[in-house]
Amino acid sequence: STANTPEDDAPNRYSRTERTTYSRYSRDANSSGSSVPSNALEKRIEELERELAKERQENARLMKITQDKEELIGKLKEEIDLLNR
């Protein structure tokens, strides 16, 4: 069966992000006179990207705190075991 050849997978050749980016730019290029909404959308995208960066930074900070506390718990368990002996 030749239905599963890689050439038939052309729509899936690019990642979803690349397709979304391409269609966003092509839409902007085709729209005339509607620069205010696209500017508002671009500002919203930038705002969301900044918010995402802050959330990722906070997530990384919380993960480090969690790892540090797990290490401390492990050390305390070892110390408890030694004291019980």
Side-chain angles (χ1 to χ4, degrees), residues 25-77:
Y25 289 129
S26 63
R27 241 193 342 261
D28 288 347
N30 292 336
S31 65
S32 60
S34 63
S35 62
V36 174
S38 68
N39 283 342
L41 287 175
E42 287 175 13
K43 286 180 182 177
R44 180 67 176 143
I45 289 170
E46 289 174 5
E47 179 184 320
L48 289 172
E49 286 173 345
R50 283 192 298 271
E51 190 176 326
L52 178 62
K54 287 178 187 175
E55 291 293 329
R56 285 184 173 158
Q57 189 175 18
E58 176 70 3
N59 190 31
R61 187 183 71 82
L62 292 172
M63 289 295 291
K64 181 167 180 3
I65 289 172
T66 301
Q67 289 172 350
D68 291 348
K69 289 191 178 201
E70 286 175 356
E71 282 182 28
L72 180 60
I73 288 170
K75 289 177 182 176
L76 290 172
K77 283 182 179 179

